[in-house]
Amino acid sequence: MMTIKNLVTLCLLCLLSSPTWALVPPDYQEPDSSFYAEVEAGLQLNSGNNETKNFNGRTYLTYDSLNTKQEGTVKVYYAADGSESTAEKYELFLQSNYKLDRGYVFGRGEFTWNEFGSYTRITTISSGYGFDLIKNYKTKLSLEAGPGYRYDQPQSSTTDPYPDENRDVILRSAAKYTVKLQEYTTFNADVTAETGLDNNTLTLDMSYKNTFIQDWAFKIGMNIKYTEVVPDDSRNTDTVTTFNLLYTFQ
């Protein structure tokens, strides 16, 4: 004769064995693959040189082979007040790593078009050496450093309507930190410093990602960039906060 206790246990086993019970199965593991990609889009909140709310999107692609690793990121920020654009920014990051016995050498290109920023065009080319200071299942910390070249076009201002282009030799250093807080929760923080003869920049890019149904995740991001020398009528610090829905595939 089945008791109430046995009946409850049987019901629980049936529910837990159902494929629709858990959005992310407890034993779910990402399949091994050299290719990985993320696509995200959502709401944007700007402060600094822009005070707007609107659309942003990001696509990240990487191919990790035995000897090399290729990475590419495209970011889009767009905002409008009625029919008039108030923010329009496009960013492209490309990096190629060649793996060594310890660490890797890299070449990197960064391209920014920002119609409403303190600098409307920024191009940075750099190369150098990087290595993983910490690398395990939960935590990864990578450090990079090397020389580079930066070109930027300042935004026109009331005191300087036709500003000259800037060209600068820089030293780029970066720290990339990733930690797995829980099984489906990840925190990332990247800090990049560019030290030049004419100008210095410091960028902090943070994000919190929570996977809620296998390849789908909710992501909160914040990008803070400080530029030491900016045109008149511009602020030194730009901040972008995003709330995005992210899809991962590989």
Side-chain angles (χ1 to χ4, degrees):
M1 182 176 180
M2 182 175 293
T3 65
I4 295 178
K5 180 178 180 181
N6 292 336
L7 182 60
V8 172
T9 302
L10 180 61
C11 292
L12 288 174
L13 290 175
C14 291
L15 288 172
L16 291 174
S17 63
S18 173
T20 60
W21 172 255
L23 294 176
V24 182
D27 58 349
Y28 175 79
Q29 294 183 355
E30 295 287 350
D32 293 332
S33 175
S34 299
F35 177 75
Y36 176 84
E38 294 180 347
V39 178
E40 64 181 84
L43 174 68
Q44 169 190 331
L45 304 176
N46 282 356
S47 64
N49 290 302
N50 298 313
E51 299 289 346
T52 57
K53 302 178 180 68
N54 222 292
F55 170 80
N56 81 91
R58 170 184 171 271
T59 299
Y60 170 77
L61 305 173
T62 180
Y63 183 79
D64 194 352
S65 62
L66 181 63
N67 296 318
T68 63
K69 182 178 180 181
Q70 318 298 331
E71 294 179 281
T73 303
V74 178
K75 295 182 179 181
V76 177
Y77 305 95
Y78 179 80
D81 185 4
S83 59
E84 183 179 356
S85 298
T86 57
E88 189 173 352
K89 182 179 180 181
Y90 307 93
E91 295 180 341
L92 173 63
F93 305 118
L94 300 172
Q95 180 163 331
S96 179
N97 299 344
Y98 182 78
K99 300 177 183 179
L100 307 174
D101 292 336
R102 298 189 64 179
Y104 56 91
V105 292
F106 69 88
R108 181 179 177 88
E110 304 178 28
F111 311 93
T112 301
W113 299 265
N114 188 358
E115 293 300 324
F116 296 86
S118 57
Y119 290 91
T120 58
R121 302 289 187 274
I122 303 175
T123 300
T124 304
I125 306 296
S126 62
S127 62
Y129 174 77
F131 66 97
D132 296 327
L133 184 63
I134 303 173
K135 187 176 182 181
N136 53 51
Y137 173 73
K138 293 188 63 176
T139 306
K140 182 178 179 180
L141 175 60
S142 301
L143 303 178
E144 295 179 353
Y149 171 83
R150 182 177 61 217
Y151 161 88
D152 51 47
Q153 174 61 58
Q155 182 71 265
S156 59
S157 62
T158 55
T159 57
D160 190 2
Y162 304 102
D164 294 331
E165 302 169 346
N166 298 323
R167 293 174 172 84
D168 203 1
V169 177
I170 64 169
L171 173 64
R172 176 184 175 272
S173 56
K176 303 178 181 180
Y177 176 71
T178 301
V179 59
K180 204 167 189 178
L181 302 176
Q182 295 179 355
E183 184 66 21
Y184 306 108
T185 304
T186 305
F187 175 76
N188 293 275
D190 296 345
V191 180
T192 303
E194 294 180 3
T195 305
L197 299 176
D198 299 327
N199 205 352
N200 302 314
T201 66
L202 180 64
T203 305
L204 172 61
D205 193 4
M206 300 181 295
S207 66
Y208 171 86
K209 183 175 71 174
N210 183 30
T211 302
F212 61 88
I213 177 169
Q214 292 191 3
D215 296 329
W216 290 94
F218 177 71
K219 180 180 175 182
I220 301 174
M222 177 176 287
N223 181 280
I224 304 172
K225 183 175 182 179
Y226 173 81
T227 305
E228 185 177 11
V229 180
V230 296
D232 293 338
D233 306 327
S234 297
R235 299 183 182 180
N236 297 90
T237 303
D238 279 312
T239 302
V240 179
T241 304
T242 55
F243 305 89
N244 289 356
L245 187 64
L246 180 146
Y247 179 73
T248 302
F249 58 93
Q250 55 187 350

